[in-house]
Amino acid sequence: MTQPKSGPSPLAGLDALTPELERLYRDIHQHPELSMQEQRTAAMAADRLRAAGYDVTTGVGGTGVVGLLANGDGPTVMLRADMDALPVKEATGLPYASTATATDADGNEVPVMHACGHDMHVAWLAGATALLAGARDAWHGTVMAVFQPAEETAQGAQAMIDDGLFERFPRPEVILGQHVMPAPAGAIGYRPGTTQAAADSLEVRLFGRGAHGSMPESSVDPVVMAAATVLRLQTIVSREIAAGQAAVVTVGALQAGTKDNVIPDEALLKVNVRTFDEGVRAHVLEAIERIVNAEAAAAGAPKAPEITTTEHYPLTVNDPDRTARVAAALRGQFGDDRVHERAEPYSASEDFGSFGTQWGVPSVFWYVGGIDADIYNKAVQAHRVAQDIPTNHNPRFAPVIHPTLETGVQAMTAAALDALADGS
Ligand code: ZN
Ligand code: ZN
C-alpha cells in the first residue's frame, strides 16, 4: 500500500482545476438529460478525457463513455460516475437552475433536473481523471474511467455490460464509485458489506371475468381479487420476515375498472420491493408469487396471473477488505472527523453493484455530503432533518458547490491512488 511518491501528489493540481470544474458542473446542471439521452453530457465527459490524454471509447451501451489511461505496469482501477437526470421540475431557485424539458421514453414532454446530483458525479470524475493524468509520476497502472448512462432507470450499467464492457476493456482489480447525499458538505460516509438496498419492481396482472355489475354470479371479480391480494401481501413483511431482518413491500398502484356497474376483466398491481439481503430478497419474491397465485386460485380465476419484473437494482455490496483500504485512504486525506462509518445501509438503490457482481471484481461505493453544514447542523439540533433537508429526487435538492465539488474530487483521487499503489 505504499505509494510511489516519485512526483508531486496529483491533488496538488486541484486548486488550479477547481474553477473549470465548477463551470463544467454548472453547465451540466443547467443542461440535464434524461436516462439514455445523455448525448451532450457524454460528449463533454469524452472531450475532457481526451484533453487529459485518455484513450476514449464513446457509445458504450448507448451514451456510455470509457476512458483508459495506461501508465506502465500496475493494477487497473475502474472509476465510475453516472450521468442521467430525472423528470423533475427544478425548484431550487439557483441562478444555474434548469428550465430544460425533454421527451421521455413514453413520448411525454417532461421537465428535467439533476435532482440526484449525477451532474456532481460527472464533475468529480472529470476532476479526478484530470488530476491523475497530470501527475503520472505519482502512480503506475491503468485508470479506467466509466461515465455511465441511465442509472435512474436501472438500465445503464447493464447496457454497458451487454455492449461488451467486460470483453472490450481490461478487467480492473477494483471498482470505485461515490454518490452525493443529504449530509453535511465535506463529510464522507461509507459502509462495509451491504450499503444500499436491492430494488425489484413488479407488475402483476390479475385475470377475472367481466360482467354486469348487477350480476356478480357471472363474474370472477378482479377488483375483489386485487383487494384481497394487496392485503395478503402485507403479511410478507409482518409475518414471514424475522424481526432482525428488513424488507419493504409497497403496492404503489392498483388499477381496475372504469365504472360502478361494470365488473372488469382484469386488474393491475404495481409492486415495489426493497431488501438488504439476497436470501430475504429471494424469500420475498417467492412469497409474492405464491400469494398472487393462491389468491387468484381462491377466486376461481380463469387464468393464472402474470408477474413481470419491470426494474431490478441489485444489492450494492462493498467488499470488506477493499472498503477498509478506501476508508483508510479517505481518513488519510480528510482526517477522522470527516469520515464516518454508517451503521445502516441506505434504502435507496443503485445499479453500480452490477459491474462488480457480474465481473467478479470487488467494488466500493461511498457517500459525500452536499448540504451546507450550518443548515444541516441546525436541522439536526431542531430534530427536523427529515422535514427541512431536501433529499435526492426532491425538486429543491442541489448540493452546495463548495466544498462538495472539491471533496468528491479529492476522495476519488485518494482512493484511486491507494488502489494504483498495488504492485508498484
Ligand atoms: Zn437517483
Ligand atoms: Zn443517484
Side-chain angles (χ1 to χ4, degrees), residues 82 116 118 121 151-152 179 350 393:
D82 43 12
C116 202
H118 299 183
H121 304 172
E151 187 282 328
E152 296 290 358
H179 205 298
E350 250 296 329
H393 294 203

Side-chain angles (χ1 to χ4, degrees), residues 105-196:
D106 297 327
N108 302 313
E109 185 83 354
V110 292
V112 190
M113 175 194 175
H114 267 296
C116 202
H118 299 183
D119 46 355
M120 186 59 79
H121 304 172
V122 173
W124 285 341
L125 187 51
T129 50
L131 292 178
L132 290 164
R136 276 175 249 193
D137 289 346
W139 56 275
H140 302 290
T142 299
V143 175
M144 176 177 174
V146 170
F147 290 89
Q148 178 209 303
E151 187 282 328
E152 296 290 358
T153 55
Q155 295 171 296
Q158 195 61 49
M160 293 190 82
I161 293 166
D162 292 345
D163 198 16
L165 185 79
F166 299 167
E167 293 78 39
R168 294 161 65 186
F169 301 97
R171 184 171 184 268
E173 268 68 30
V174 66
I175 301 173
L176 305 175
Q178 53 183 353
H179 205 298
V180 64
M181 282 289 179
I188 305 231
Y190 71 96
R191 188 174 197 275
T194 299
T195 191
Q196 287 190 228

Side-chain angles (χ1 to χ4, degrees), residues 151-377:
E151 187 282 328
E152 296 290 358
T153 55
Q155 295 171 296
Q158 195 61 49
M160 293 190 82
I161 293 166
D162 292 345
D163 198 16
L165 185 79
F166 299 167
E167 293 78 39
R168 294 161 65 186
F169 301 97
R171 184 171 184 268
E173 268 68 30
V174 66
I175 301 173
L176 305 175
Q178 53 183 353
H179 205 298
V180 64
M181 282 289 179
I188 305 231
Y190 71 96
R191 188 174 197 275
T194 299
T195 191
Q196 287 190 228
D200 293 274
S201 302
L202 311 174
E203 280 190 4
V204 178
R205 197 167 288 279
L206 299 166
F207 300 105
R209 186 168 58 241
H212 196 286
S214 69
M215 296 175 234
E217 72 280 12
S218 296
S219 78
V220 174
D221 189 342
V223 175
V224 177
M225 200 191 308
T229 304
V230 169
L231 285 182
R232 183 86 199 185
L233 288 173
Q234 309 306 312
T235 65
I236 298 173
V237 174
S238 67
R239 303 290 80 195
E240 299 191 38
I241 303 299
Q245 298 275 19
V248 178
V249 176
T250 293
V251 181
L254 191 173
Q255 295 162 356
T258 51
K259 201 171 180 311
D260 61 303
N261 63 353
V262 179
I263 298 170
D265 263 335
E266 48 180 85
L268 181 71
L269 307 180
K270 296 186 180 180
V271 186
N272 188 259
V273 178
R274 304 281 165 145
T275 49
F276 301 89
D277 174 274
E278 219 27 90
V280 173
R281 173 174 175 262
H283 181 91
V284 169
L285 293 177
E286 183 279 327
I288 289 172
E289 195 178 329
R290 167 169 45 82
I291 288 167
V292 163
N293 281 309
E295 287 294 346
K303 194 165 123 183
E306 280 173 13
I307 303 177
T308 315
T309 300
T310 53
E311 269 184 19
H312 168 59
Y313 289 92
L315 280 175
T316 309
V317 181
N318 282 337
D319 179 81
D321 294 341
R322 280 289 181 173
T323 306
R325 284 187 52 170
V326 167
L330 296 178
R331 289 205 164 91
Q333 176 64 39
F334 298 108
D336 287 352
D337 55 338
R338 284 176 63 185
V339 182
H340 310 282
E341 181 169 337
R342 290 178 52 80
E344 304 291 337
Y346 279 107
S347 57
S349 304
E350 250 296 329
D351 68 357
F352 171 80
S354 296
F355 295 112
T357 306
Q358 293 181 43
W359 218 344
V361 172
S363 59
V364 186
F365 196 70
W366 65 88
Y367 310 98
V368 178
I371 307 296
D372 178 274
D374 285 343
I375 292 173
Y376 192 88
N377 291 332

